[in-house]
Amino acid sequence: IYWNAFNSVFKKFGMHIAKKEWLDRFPGTGTAYIVTTNFAEHSIKLKEGVGYWIDRWNAEYRKLVRNHGVRLVKGFSRFNSEINKSGIKKIIASGGHTVSIRFALKILRLEKQFDIVSSDDVKERKPSPTIFPSFTITQPTRGLGSVV
């Protein structure tokens, strides 16, 4: 969905990020970086400023999530149920922004089940491991081994 939202925003300028390029260059780099890098590589000046284009991306991302939804991976519901029974605190650590993560969780009706540590909470983005020490705990779980 992130990739599609960027391509939708960039389409107006004849820009497109191929899937392989996206996977090789952009995961975890941040919306501002993706916007400024792609406009710069196509010699396009940002009259409106980066914030404007981040807002355009956010609007497109939300539209795609609303229209196409997000799906849970196979086995997640069972896993989540077991974690809930165990009483272990659940945390999502993501290179995304808290507002985007919360939006997707709300669509999935999981918004109250997780604390979030996002790129908004750390100084360095991926691939820096700084996001992990802020929440890492290890606890044994029934039949699931350890959850980190």
Side-chain angles (χ1 to χ4, degrees):
I1 292 177
Y2 286 98
W3 172 62
N4 288 327
F6 278 108
N7 278 328
S8 181
V9 169
F10 293 156
K11 185 178 183 178
K12 171 181 175 178
F13 298 95
M15 300 183 327
H16 177 81
I17 304 171
K19 185 74 165 194
K20 181 172 180 1
E21 179 184 10
W22 173 262
L23 294 172
D24 289 345
R25 293 181 63 195
F26 297 114
T29 58
T31 310
Y33 174 82
I34 296 166
V35 166
T36 56
T37 298
N38 281 278
F39 279 115
E41 288 176 359
H42 289 84
S43 302
I44 298 170
K45 301 281 185 214
L46 293 173
K47 294 187 281 188
E48 300 89 351
V50 175
Y52 173 84
W53 293 103
I54 291 172
D55 289 346
R56 300 283 55 80
W57 176 85
N58 273 316
E60 188 62 27
Y61 167 78
R62 287 173 177 263
K63 182 177 93 178
L64 289 171
V65 169
R66 266 192 225 97
N67 293 343
H68 302 286
V70 287
R71 288 172 284 204
L72 298 173
V73 296
K74 184 177 179 178
F76 174 81
S77 293
R78 179 175 169 258
F79 175 78
N80 191 44
S81 177
E82 289 296 319
I83 295 295
N84 287 341
K85 289 176 196 173
S86 73
I88 293 175
K89 183 176 183 176
K90 298 179 298 184
I91 301 170
I92 293 176
S94 173
H97 294 283
T98 302
V99 67
S100 298
I101 298 163
R102 287 202 189 287
F103 182 74
L105 287 172
K106 185 175 182 179
I107 297 291
L108 294 167
R109 295 187 171 103
L110 295 170
E111 69 270 20
K112 293 184 169 101
Q113 294 192 33
F114 295 89
D115 287 334
I116 298 171
V117 178
S118 74
S119 61
D120 302 326
D121 303 310
V122 296
K123 291 181 183 175
E124 298 177 56
R125 298 188 68 85
K126 286 180 186 175
S128 172
T130 58
I131 198 168
F132 298 108
S134 63
F135 75 89
T136 303
I137 56 170
T138 303
Q139 295 183 354
T141 59
R142 291 181 307 199
L144 297 173
S146 294
V147 176
V148 178

